[in-house]
């Protein structure tokens, strides 16, 4: 899983297309956004104002250039 988003509304195909260009976490109606780019630690940070952070257990992170890859055991 690369990222998880939770919206409190249905999205049109145009809105979905815009999301593919990237989001920040401050978009209207976005209530949860975890991009899993932490790179270390035991939390998946929610990028929205709601800060519903999650726990990560037994993760191994690998950084190649600017990309981060995770492997959960």
């Amino acid at each position: 899983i690369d990222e998880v988003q939770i919206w409190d509304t249905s999205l049109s195909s145009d809105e979905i297309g815009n999301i593919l260009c990237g989001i920040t976490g401050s978009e209207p109606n976005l209530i949860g956004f975890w991009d899993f780019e932490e790179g270390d630690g035991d939390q998946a940070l929610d990028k929205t104002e709601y800060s519903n952070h999650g726990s990560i257990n037994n993760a191994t992170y690998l950084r190649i250039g600017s990309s981060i890859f995770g492997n959960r055991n």
Side-chain angles (χ1 to χ4, degrees):
I1 297 175
D2 182 50
E3 64 183 40
V4 173
Q5 303 170 15
I6 299 176
W7 298 81
D8 68 357
T9 188
S10 298
L11 301 174
S12 70
S13 58
D14 287 339
E15 289 170 318
I16 292 170
N18 290 335
I19 288 169
L20 294 176
C21 295
I23 63 173
T24 65
S26 61
E27 289 74 10
N29 302 311
L30 180 64
I31 59 173
F33 174 45
W34 301 265
D35 64 4
F36 306 116
E37 297 291 331
E38 287 76 19
D40 61 14
D42 59 359
Q43 279 194 318
L45 302 177
D46 179 4
K47 307 294 188 195
T48 69
E49 64 183 287
Y50 302 105
S51 299
N52 291 310
H53 307 311
S55 297
I56 299 175
N57 297 304
N58 300 319
T60 302
Y61 297 94
L62 175 62
R63 184 181 303 269
I64 299 175
S66 63
S67 297
I68 299 169
F69 299 91
N71 179 22
R72 301 224 171 92
N73 301 322

